[in-house]
Amino acid sequence: MHGHGSVREVSLDSVIVRPEIEADIPAVHEINCLAFESDDEATLVDRLREAEESSLSLVAEIDGVCVGHIFYSAVSVAGADSVLGLAPMAVTPALQKRGIGTLLVNHSLARLRAENWDGVVVLGHPDYYPRFGFRPAAEYDLKCSFDVPDGVFMALELKKNGLEDARGLVEYHPLFNSF
Ligand SMILES: CC(C)(COP(=O)(O)OP(=O)(O)OC[C@H]1O[C@@H](n2cnc3c(N)ncnc32)[C@H](O)[C@@H]1OP(=O)(O)O)[C@@H](O)C(=O)NCCC(=O)NCCS
């Protein structure tokens, strides 16, 4: 990695994606604060981590320093047993748009497929998530319990027909309501 003012080059080969451990928690909090310019998401992650058994939290690190984070927590929806919501994800601002977010999404989805989850939903940018296979959640008859614009609520099947019987309102963990 070479410094060029605030713009730094990253060799993606030097990025390790791995499950979060307890020692990462302060760094993960900081990455979320910086990326969202608010401590709301950071605090949400801290609370969900405590509250949730079915969650996945991965970090991206470079030379032992955490530079990215992705979090999933279980959502409830009729017709499917094991669906997760991807939220939030964040990359250290100076290192965004270099593919670290893509690595985090691809690693986490591979892990969730191996664990046999039915699917994932996400509230996010319609230009970003379709590249990973996400489609408008409405195509699976899924609606978000939050009032959000069309197209930003997306879903991905993690196995064949994983979301075929899923339908209706998708509800995130109650902690998202205080958000
Ligand atoms: C959203 C976020 C997590 C994405 O992480 P990221 O590491 O920046 O994502 P990527 O680098 O994989 O992809 C971002 C863009 O960079 C592009 N990109 C990826 N590698 C690149 C490279 N080597 N050179 C140039 N561009 C590259 C991608 O094509 C993508 O382009 P586009 O979306 O403009 O079409 C990050 O930007 C972030 O923390 N944002 C603030 C918090 C936020 O909004 N989180 C999402 C809501 S939960």
Side-chain angles (χ1 to χ4, degrees), residues 52-74:
E52 265 269 12
E53 281 166 28
S54 300
S55 64
L56 177 68
S57 195
L58 299 184
V59 296
E61 72 173 14
I62 299 176
D63 296 338
V65 178
C66 287
V67 297
H69 172 248
I70 191 164
F71 195 84
Y72 294 81
S73 56

Side-chain angles (χ1 to χ4, degrees), residues 48 52 54-55 71-87 117-123 142-146 153-155 163 166 168-174 176:
L48 284 168
E52 265 269 12
S54 300
S55 64
F71 195 84
Y72 294 81
S73 56
V75 294
S76 59
V77 55
D81 295 333
S82 63
V83 182
L84 291 163
L86 188 179
W117 290 84
D118 288 332
V120 173
V121 292
V122 68
L123 268 172
L142 297 175
K143 278 187 60 151
C144 188
S145 61
F146 304 113
F153 189 51
M154 292 165 272
L163 295 174
L169 215 55
V170 178
E171 296 200 80
Y172 282 78
H173 192 284
F176 280 87

Side-chain angles (χ1 to χ4, degrees), residues 10 12 31-32 34-37 41 67 69 86-93 95-105 122-125 127-129 131-132:
V10 172
L12 290 179
I31 292 166
N32 279 294
L34 292 172
F36 289 100
E37 297 181 43
E41 287 80 1
V67 297
H69 172 248
L86 188 179
M89 72 175 288
V91 170
T92 298
L95 295 173
Q96 289 174 3
K97 295 204 179 279
R98 287 159 178 76
I100 296 171
T102 299
L103 282 182
L104 279 164
V105 175
V122 68
L123 268 172
H125 208 289
D127 289 340
Y128 188 63
Y129 293 97
R131 68 191 68 178
F132 305 106

Side-chain angles (χ1 to χ4, degrees), residues 16-37:
I16 293 169
V17 177
R18 58 163 177 81
E20 174 196 275
I21 60 168
E22 204 170 339
D24 300 321
I25 291 175
V28 165
H29 188 97
E30 183 69 11
I31 292 166
N32 279 294
C33 285
L34 292 172
F36 289 100
E37 297 181 43

